[in-house]
Amino acid sequence: MKMRLNKFIAECGIASRRKSESFILEGRVAVNGKSVNQLSFVIDTDNDIVTLDGEKLKLEKKVYFLLNKPKGYITTTSDEKKRKKVTDLINTQHKIFPVGRLDYDTTGVLILTNDGDFANFLTHPSNQIPREYKVLLNRDLEVKDKEKLLTGIYLDKRKSKFEEINFFRKGDYKKIKVTTVEGRNRFVKRMFGALGYHVEELERIRFGTFTLQNLPRGSYRKLSFTEIQNVYKTYGR
């Protein structure tokens, strides 16, 4: 089967498509013993031998997990400080990676997979996939600031906003539910921080079609093929 090199690496469960492209550009990938740094390079998956840092790659069965991330875990697959990683919580023989990031002290919905295409689909800005968060602020959210966050403020020199802001109960304006289609690093915390608020607790309660559904903190479950296909169907593929 003919396949672009960057897609093949992602399909092997090594990393997302974007990270796979970085491996190629860094000169770490070879095809039949020869280094390749062209993202559009096409291989024959049945006959060509692809290596990353000298290690042979092979296509893997795609697996998908939904984790209720606890505090105290980082969303990377390696760490020089030897901190606990989210991949440590999942029992699998496959080389999985988290889709996007949640901060060390942020909890909630996190998808882990070895499917680079699916990870790219979930995180690509053009797909506008919603993320919903439960937020605890250090003080009441003022009406004028709520409006600013909904109409847009400038973050990273670009206009940024929440799609929705709701309160869990009347009279309590510290506990908030926000929805955004943004996936930028620490986006929710930085949005509130730009207006002088501090986020004391943050939990992602929905990512696209995925919710916690009474999944205990620190626990995970496998996602079915039907659930994965439903994401593509719901968000335009």
Side-chain angles (χ1 to χ4, degrees), residues 20 59 82:
S20 298
L59 293 174
K82 299 190 182 301

Side-chain angles (χ1 to χ4, degrees), residues 125-138:
S126 66
N127 293 323
Q128 299 280 289
I129 296 181
R131 290 93 158 153
E132 195 171 297
Y133 296 85
K134 186 187 294 184
V135 184
L136 175 63
L137 297 176
N138 64 320

